[in-house]
Amino acid sequence: MEGSPVISPVIWSGHRHVTVRNGLPDDEAGYPVRILKDAIADGVPYKDLLITNDHCLFFDGAFIPVRMLVNGRSIFYDRTISSYTYYHVETAQHAIIRADGVLTESYLDTGNRNNFVQDNKVIKIHGHVKSWEKDAKAPGPVASATAESLFVTLQARALARGVPFTVSDVALRDDPDLRLVTSKGQVIRTMRVKGDKYLFMIPPGVKSVRILSRTRRPCDGPGPFVNDHRHLGVLVGSISLQSVKKNIEITSHLTTVDADGWSVQENLPCRWTTGSAILPLPLHVGDQCSILTLQILACGPYGSMPEQAGVLSVRSV
């Protein structure tokens, strides 16, 4: 009968050791995600479960990466663990399996098998690289809207059960700390801000500057269900360089596809920096200073790294 448990042989197993990289966002640092006992339903899981943040859980006919469900209460990055080893098992066909009562997935080789140490007990199968579209047992990963609905449900369950928040509140700030740095390392701060225009005094002979700012990730704003992990600095619109003799419009950030430090261009006429973007300056005659004007259409809010508020009881990995 469809949906009934079946026995499927394990054709490969492997493991990988992870050392957490401090100073990065929790998902990029490599912290494991802890799903507390009863986080999903009574007895699901039946004990605390630790998994990597990209590993998928199975809900309502689809797979969803657990990182999109992190709520800081019943599902959170366990920052008390600095290193660990995790394991994968592969079945002949991608399968839905249970881990401590939670429906999850067997290993799907999408091209990263070489990242794991093969366990000697199982013969390695040399097969073709698979894909989610053609080889997955169920659709996935799900869209942000679907993930948000499940996130809200699990968060509400945690609140109703009185599960405390495991990380401190993150202080948000709108100031991008915008500044320029020349090729010689000279830092140039804003001389004036007029609405969305940031003005900088450029010394003579400067051929390019690097636009520096704080960064944010869209997934760190509304919630982890936003599947956008880009590091974005400021959204730059028009740019102009005013010298004594003339005003020059600069458009290289809009016309150069692979511009250093600029994110993928989505809409014209503007583009996000990644927090450190190179801006070539047109040659200008004379030995006097020029004024560079950047139009900043969007920025922030920018957060800081959250700190662990408490240590939970289960430490096994």
Side-chain angles (χ1 to χ4, degrees):
M1 182 176 67
E2 184 177 356
S4 298
V6 297
I7 297 176
S8 181
V10 173
I11 63 172
W12 175 87
S13 67
H15 65 273
R16 183 182 184 185
H17 186 76
V18 174
T19 299
V20 171
R21 298 179 296 166
N22 294 321
L24 296 174
D26 289 345
D27 56 330
E28 295 180 4
Y31 289 107
V33 173
R34 184 180 293 276
I35 305 175
L36 292 183
K37 178 180 180 293
D38 302 323
I40 298 170
D42 291 346
V44 183
Y46 56 76
K47 66 176 183 177
D48 283 13
L49 173 64
L50 285 167
I51 58 177
T52 55
N53 72 83
D54 272 330
H55 200 69
C56 288
L57 306 183
F58 181 75
F59 287 96
D60 298 327
F63 286 115
I64 176 171
V66 71
R67 59 177 165 76
M68 299 180 77
L69 302 176
V70 170
N71 56 41
R73 295 179 184 272
S74 59
I75 304 175
F76 60 92
Y77 291 99
D78 192 334
R79 303 184 77 218
T80 69
I81 298 174
S82 59
S83 65
Y84 58 93
T85 299
Y86 69 98
Y87 297 81
H88 268 308
V89 293
E90 182 180 19
T91 51
Q93 303 295 327
H94 190 228
I96 300 166
I97 61 177
R98 286 188 184 274
D100 296 342
V102 177
L103 292 178
T104 180
E105 58 166 330
S106 63
Y107 175 68
L108 181 66
D109 181 15
T110 56
N112 66 344
R113 191 192 299 273
N114 289 336
N115 293 338
F116 300 92
V117 177
Q118 179 183 327
D119 293 328
N120 293 328
K121 297 178 182 178
V122 182
I123 298 175
K124 179 177 178 179
I125 303 298
H126 296 276
H128 67 281
V129 173
K130 299 180 180 180
S131 69
W132 276 97
E133 294 76 17
K134 295 181 179 180
D135 302 294
K137 179 66 175 179
V142 301
S144 293
T146 302
E148 181 178 4
S149 176
L150 182 56
F151 171 88
V152 170
T153 298
L154 296 179
Q155 184 181 56
R157 175 178 172 82
L159 288 168
R161 296 176 60 239
V163 180
F165 206 53
T166 59
V167 292
S168 60
D169 291 334
V170 177
L172 298 178
R173 49 195 170 187
D174 293 321
D175 176 20
D177 189 24
L178 193 63
R179 59 208 184 276
L180 307 178
V181 176
T182 69
S183 60
K184 295 182 179 180
Q186 179 182 359
V187 178
I188 304 174
R189 295 283 178 176
T190 54
M191 58 178 288
R192 187 163 65 253
V193 178
K194 298 170 57 178
D196 61 0
K197 304 293 198 306
Y198 286 68
L199 282 66
F200 300 85
M201 185 70 73
I202 305 299
V206 175
K207 298 180 180 180
S208 67
V209 293
R210 185 172 289 275
I211 305 171
L212 299 181
S213 71
R214 295 187 172 102
T215 60
R216 58 179 287 271
R217 302 188 306 168
C219 63
D220 295 329
F225 45 80
V226 176
N227 198 24
D228 187 346
H229 293 251
R230 292 175 300 160
H231 288 260
L232 303 177
V234 292
L235 182 61
V236 180
S238 63
I239 303 176
S240 64
L241 185 67
Q242 177 71 56
S243 65
V244 174
K245 296 185 177 181
K246 58 182 176 180
N247 184 64
I248 303 174
E249 296 293 327
I250 300 175
T251 59
S252 59
H253 64 302
L254 303 177
T255 58
T256 306
V257 175
D258 57 349
D260 184 6
W262 296 88
S263 188
V264 176
Q265 191 165 341
E266 298 175 342
N267 301 295
L268 290 174
C270 57
R271 191 173 185 179
W272 284 97
T273 72
T274 60
S276 178
I278 285 290
L279 180 67
L281 299 179
L283 297 177
H284 51 283
V285 181
D287 57 357
Q288 296 184 359
C289 294
S290 301
I291 296 177
L292 181 70
T293 301
L294 303 180
Q295 182 187 30
I296 305 301
L297 299 175
C299 61
Y302 305 98
S304 57
M305 295 295 292
E307 296 297 329
Q308 193 79 10
V311 178
L312 299 182
S313 58
V314 181
R315 283 292 309 276
S316 61
V317 296

